[in-house]
Amino acid sequence: MHKKILPVLACTFSLSVYAQQDTLDQKTLSEVVISANKFEEKKKNVNQRIDVITAQQITKANAQNTGDLLSGTGQVFVQKSQQGGSSPVLRGFEASRVLLVIDGIRMNNAIYRAGHLQNVITVDPNMLERVEVLYGPGSTLYGSDALGGVVHLRTKSPRLSLNGKVISTGTVFARGSSVNNEKTVHGDVSIGGGRFAWLQSYTYSYFGDMRMGDHYTDKYPDFGRRSKYITSVNGIDSVVTSKDDRIQKFSGYQQWDITQKFLFKQNERITHSLNLQHSNSTNIPRYDRLQDLRNFGGSIGTTLRFAEWFYGPQTRYLGAYELNWKPASAFDIVRLNIHYQDIEESRQQREYRRYDRFDSRREKLRIWGFTLDSRKKWKTDELTVGFDGQFNDLKSVADRTNLTTGVKTKLDTRYPNGENNMNYLGVFGQHLKKMKDGKLVLNDGLRLQMVNLHSTIVDNSFFNLPVTDIQQNTLSVTGNLGLVYLPSNTFRVAGGISSGFRNPNIDDLARVFESSSSLQRVIVPNADIKAEYSYTADLSISQVVAEKVRIEVNGFYTWFRNAIGLAPYQLNGQDSILYNGIMSAVYANRNVKKANSYGYNIQLGVDITPHLSWAGTITYTYGRFKNEQGDKIPQDHIPPVYGRTNLTYNRGRGSTEFFVLFNGWKKAQDYNPDGEDNQQYATPEGMPSWVTLNWRGQVNITRHFLVQLAVENLTDRNYRYFASGFSAPGRNFVLAVRYNW
């Protein structure tokens, strides 16, 4: 069916896009204010493309995690290696090349890798009041890592009373999903007076093993099936045949999130706030690695390799104090944020029947940071200036346990086993000027960023590395220049150029690890790599027609330079070493590539009647690397064409929506052979295209009581997102009940 539907959708969506109907005025381009420039600003005045997911849309989406919330918009592609994972992709950039920000605070740290990440799921989607996705380089405002864009996650805040009486607001809800036996409960409450307000939130989620769809392509009827798995039988690892090969055995996990905030209004000019967040999980199985087969002398066998491979509990603590001050002179507003993050993550693995080596590698990060932002408005100008810093301290440890004897021995750590520090300091200015009675708006900005990195290897006995002290000091300058043309309230043209950078972090410079089971190679440190840069040209056109139709077309072209990629390397004069008992090729990260990429996004929204509306989106990206030999190869992380369309009916207390999500083919010849595209988890031809049909509805039984129902993947389609080693959910029935006051 998808072979017939997808071309039709592709043609239709070449004139369409997912309209953010809750944030857009369909009659004009005068949209709600956002915080793209650190402080509130009308979206129409910013030349950069920005998508907004509002509180209403977040509630309506009912997503199990924040990654699912992003992918459900049809605007952001999200990769998954396991159920407890989500790695957003913006314009062909992913992981450490996309900046995650929560409440104005950088989430990216010194060990964000270039592959695929799961850190975004540590943010509770049930506590989000807004998500802003900024496409293209965002380094002027946010610094390193914002090559492809910024995902800014904003959590709920406590509310002060405006009438002198104490007010209480809150939400409690419970949700269940059939496809993974999900059980989620959430509660948050805000109590506020005239000067002091307090907010508390708790969320607990249980996710069982995920069931994939049962409607397969005719050519690949066994794609993704979990036919066998390893479990313990009478204390011995045994390969067991699955009773239901559509159940992705060992993919479930549990998670809980706690948020607490305090707000104190000292006077009309000064407010203080305290933001405390905690996220924790059980062990999260690395599902894609549990499918890997053993490697014997360079050939792949038929026996599953790993009896155990899981991420240990992923723990995130955040504490932040923020001061907002409206001085009587100089600046209109000054904001100071001082924050601390404590993060723990680990990797645990054991091969089949290797009871003598249960390997545990653990990382603990302590991160201090601050941002000092201020804004001044005068006549037709707005100026935002700021100073920020982040200070990373990493401790990396590892050991191997003999499960039979209980004896622990030393093991090579993922990162240097001595001191690891990475510090960022930056200063920036962003300017906006309205000209020609507001019909022309100039955007320009500049950032100066300094980064210091220092790692030491105390125990060098595992690899006898020639360098045990790694240091790097860099200075980067980035900026942006754009112009917005607004001849009327219904037409807008915006264009600009911007640059972004990503300083190599500890994961790039100093890690040691086995990159893959199918390509036996080991990655070793290299302190000589330099910062990556992206330079992007953007053009956007928006038009409202007859107060009922809104169309927006966005195009971009990116030059990616000094790209860091894995390349053959020598260690002590050798291009291969013995690692974990297997002769492995030596690789290291190097600045060996440059890339050019381009793409478009088209959006269309139509008000058919006052109660019935239609919207859709399509996104296309193309990218190619040029390596040292001058060969052009596909750029990794480039998703296939993808998008969404929906038909929505709203009336009175209820609403219903039918929507379609789709991905085009990712052909095998378009996979990067050395990157993170995970071709081993696709078919021999690549990743097949797919279409899912979905329905959801909700009704307010009373003013405060809301019931939500959904049926996702109605046709029970079996599919995977490109680069994912984990199959997407099959047919899923969702029920949620909410009480708001």
Side-chain angles (χ1 to χ4, degrees), residues 414-431:
R414 181 176 173 88
Y415 303 109
N417 49 35
E419 294 185 3
N420 295 284
N421 304 110
M422 188 172 187
N423 304 317
Y424 301 82
L425 284 174
V427 59
F428 74 91
Q430 181 69 39
H431 172 246

Side-chain angles (χ1 to χ4, degrees), residues 211-277:
R211 177 184 291 270
M212 68 184 77
D214 197 32
H215 178 198
Y216 292 81
T217 60
D218 294 337
K219 194 170 185 178
Y220 299 104
D222 297 323
F223 179 56
R225 289 184 184 269
R226 182 77 153 136
S227 59
K228 296 183 182 297
Y229 61 91
I230 295 174
T231 189
S232 180
V233 178
N234 297 322
I236 298 176
D237 288 342
S238 303
V239 179
V240 176
T241 299
S242 301
K243 294 180 180 179
D244 184 347
D245 60 9
R246 293 190 300 132
I247 299 294
Q248 298 180 86
K249 193 70 174 177
F250 305 128
S251 61
Y253 71 101
Q254 300 171 55
Q255 181 169 322
W256 47 96
D257 298 275
I258 302 172
T259 302
Q260 189 171 56
K261 291 187 176 183
F262 301 92
L263 176 63
F264 173 59
K265 183 178 181 181
Q266 182 176 332
N267 53 48
E268 293 301 319
R269 293 184 176 273
I270 299 175
T271 60
H272 308 265
S273 63
L274 185 63
N275 183 355
L276 304 173
Q277 299 178 18

Side-chain angles (χ1 to χ4, degrees), residues 364-560:
K364 184 174 179 63
L365 274 159
R366 293 182 175 90
I367 306 167
W368 289 93
F370 72 91
T371 59
L372 179 61
D373 302 320
S374 57
R375 185 174 68 173
K376 176 66 176 179
K377 289 185 178 181
W378 70 97
K379 296 182 179 178
T380 59
D381 294 86
E382 298 177 13
L383 177 64
T384 302
V385 294
F387 179 50
D388 52 39
Q390 187 188 65
F391 311 98
N392 291 253
D393 178 78
L394 167 67
K395 183 68 173 178
S396 186
V397 297
D399 51 54
R400 171 171 288 171
T401 303
N402 186 316
L403 298 181
T404 303
T405 65
V407 174
K408 288 189 177 183
T409 56
K410 292 191 301 182
L411 185 67
D412 54 299
T413 54
R414 181 176 173 88
Y415 303 109
N417 49 35
E419 294 185 3
N420 295 284
N421 304 110
M422 188 172 187
N423 304 317
Y424 301 82
L425 284 174
V427 59
F428 74 91
Q430 181 69 39
H431 172 246
L432 186 147
K433 184 176 182 62
K434 299 174 183 176
M435 303 175 289
K436 303 290 184 181
D437 297 324
K439 293 184 177 181
L440 279 178
V441 184
L442 174 69
N443 291 244
D444 56 289
L446 193 68
R447 170 179 281 263
L448 178 67
Q449 183 87 40
M450 296 175 290
V451 181
N452 167 263
L453 185 150
H454 185 209
S455 289
T456 60
I457 299 172
V458 176
D459 184 350
N460 196 26
S461 60
F462 289 97
F463 299 102
N464 191 27
L465 297 170
V467 177
T468 59
D469 192 296
I470 302 170
Q471 295 192 56
Q472 189 175 81
N473 294 282
T474 62
L475 182 66
S476 300
V477 179
T478 52
N480 65 280
L481 179 65
L483 193 65
V484 180
Y485 177 51
L486 296 161
S488 69
N489 288 332
T490 60
F491 185 69
R492 176 182 180 271
V493 179
I497 55 175
S498 55
S499 61
F501 79 99
R502 187 182 77 88
N503 205 83
N505 59 21
I506 293 173
D507 186 84
D508 297 303
L509 267 75
R511 64 178 170 169
V512 178
F513 78 111
E514 178 188 23
S515 66
S516 164
S517 61
S518 59
L519 299 172
Q520 286 300 328
R521 58 192 186 188
V522 60
I523 285 76
V524 299
N526 177 18
D528 295 327
I529 52 178
K530 301 175 182 178
E532 299 177 315
Y533 287 87
S534 66
Y535 307 91
T536 296
D538 282 274
L539 180 64
S540 174
I541 301 174
S542 304
Q543 173 76 62
V544 175
V545 181
E547 298 185 352
K548 292 182 179 295
V549 179
R550 186 181 192 277
I551 186 169
E552 182 176 326
V553 180
N554 300 279
F556 73 92
Y557 194 98
T558 296
W559 297 263
F560 185 25

